[in-house]
Amino acid sequence: MNTFQLNDGREIPALGLGTWKTPADDTATKVVEFALTHGYSLVDCAAYYANEAEIGEGIRLSGVSRDKLFLTSKLWNTDRGYDSTLTAFEESLQKLGTDYLDLYLIHWPATMHQFADWKSLNAETWRAMERLVTEGRVRSIGVCNFKPSHLEALLETAVVTPAVNQIECHPGWFPKENISYCHDHGIRVMAWAPLGRGALAENPTMLGIAEAHSKTVAQVSLRWEYQHGIVSIPKSVNEQRLLQNLDIFDIQLSDEEMHSIDTLPVIGYTGKDPDTIDF
């Protein structure tokens, strides 16, 4: 598996398995087991997804040793704050059946839309995550859905710069300002919804590029993200698609093709803006 380097010197797989909306039953267990035995090593999950225990079981059944995996989970919004973060982290570890995480992320920033003290709330949450790194319970820490304004505020007090910012990114939604800010500050971007929730399937630009490379639209989307240095975590419960998603490293999109994808109109955007959401 191809990898990217994080700002803390660690390597992260360039492509992993997303688990949002993967049913918390034997489906999640079987998908994780299949993925890990067929070349995946990065598994992205979250407390909010309510399937950490099933994912942990899939990891155990795969027989892949823990040191070969890159396991990510996320802190949910109701657990922000120093003490709450530490407690929530322990709960995630217990459900996953592991004694450490490779990457722990703040799922959404506290923002002025909901909290007068949003800056200090994010800072205290981050301070707890920094403690987890110091204690060796987490290898790398990062955030999700942070805009440059949220990152700027966090960096005012942070000792550790976030290694990752996981944001919505896909052909048809290319947040250049956020990506540029992360790049300039050494923060690796990770894309959620990297396939645009299927909305790209009939797009003529994407279909033309896919045909030129004998690939699917999904594979072109993931390759585009890879060439931008972005980690992708596509979700699927279909074994054929899981294998197809890995098969993106034998092509090279041209500069013209990359530009064509960069400049697509808005397609498949979820509309989830951290400055306006109410959860």
Side-chain angles (χ1 to χ4, degrees):
M1 173 63 71
N2 293 42
T3 63
F4 295 125
Q5 189 171 58
L6 300 178
N7 59 19
D8 57 13
R10 301 188 66 238
E11 296 288 322
I12 185 171
L15 190 143
L17 175 68
T19 60
W20 166 231
K21 290 189 175 180
T22 300
D25 53 26
D26 63 349
T27 301
T29 298
K30 290 177 179 177
V31 165
V32 170
E33 180 184 8
F34 179 87
L36 293 181
T37 55
H38 286 82
Y40 286 83
S41 56
L42 166 59
V43 177
D44 177 88
C45 62
Y48 182 72
Y49 301 169
N51 55 13
E52 287 176 311
E54 292 75 15
I55 288 169
E57 180 64 13
I59 291 172
R60 287 186 286 277
L61 290 175
S62 75
V64 177
S65 63
R66 180 65 183 85
D67 63 348
K68 302 298 182 184
L69 303 178
F70 195 102
L71 185 57
T72 300
S73 195
K74 309 181 191 76
L75 176 84
W76 185 238
N77 303 349
T78 51
D79 295 316
R80 297 184 183 107
Y82 187 83
D83 292 331
S84 296
T85 295
L86 298 177
T87 299
F89 172 77
E90 295 297 340
E91 292 175 356
S92 285
L93 282 194
Q94 183 178 15
K95 290 176 181 177
L96 288 164
T98 186
D99 57 2
Y100 73 96
L101 289 178
D102 295 279
L103 179 63
Y104 197 39
L105 304 171
I106 299 175
H107 208 146
W108 289 87
T111 66
M112 67 178 69
H113 172 63
Q114 291 180 299
F115 303 97
D117 62 342
W118 66 277
K119 288 186 179 182
S120 61
L121 186 53
N122 287 332
E124 283 300 288
T125 301
W126 191 249
R127 188 167 66 89
M129 297 179 76
E130 290 176 331
R131 171 179 167 176
L132 293 171
V133 173
T134 300
E135 293 177 347
R137 311 297 305 286
V138 178
R139 304 296 168 83
S140 300
I141 53 176
V143 298
C144 303
N145 304 300
F146 274 54
K147 291 181 174 181
S149 58
H150 310 135
L151 289 166
E152 285 283 0
L154 189 70
L155 291 173
E156 289 175 6
T157 58
V159 176
V160 176
T161 298
V164 166
N165 186 14
Q166 186 182 121
I167 59 176
E168 180 174 1
C169 179
H170 50 79
W173 186 252
F174 188 36
K176 293 181 181 179
E177 180 185 356
N178 199 343
I179 291 170
S180 294
Y181 181 93
C182 290
H183 177 79
D184 291 344
H185 289 79
I187 302 169
R188 180 68 59 182
V189 173
M190 181 184 288
W192 61 263
L195 304 180
R197 302 184 301 166
L200 298 158
E202 302 302 322
N203 179 264
T205 297
M206 296 298 292
L207 285 169
I209 295 172
E211 182 178 2
H213 292 277
S214 300
K215 295 292 183 181
T216 67
V217 167
Q219 288 171 322
V220 169
S221 298
L222 297 174
R223 180 68 198 191
W224 171 78
E225 285 144 13
Y226 174 72
Q227 287 185 213
H228 274 302
I230 296 171
V231 179
S232 297
I233 45 169
K235 173 256 179 181
S236 180
V237 298
N238 180 284
E239 293 183 354
Q240 181 181 5
R241 292 197 189 99
L242 286 169
L243 296 177
Q244 286 178 342
N245 288 344
L246 288 177
D247 187 22
I248 65 167
F249 299 111
D250 60 343
I251 62 168
Q252 179 75 23
L253 301 180
S254 69
D255 291 344
E256 292 76 16
E257 290 169 329
M258 291 291 289
H259 179 72
S260 295
I261 299 173
D262 289 355
T263 54
L264 284 172
V266 174
I267 306 169
Y269 174 50
T270 64
K272 292 180 179 178
D273 185 334
D275 282 328
T276 59
I277 60 169
D278 290 316
F279 52 76

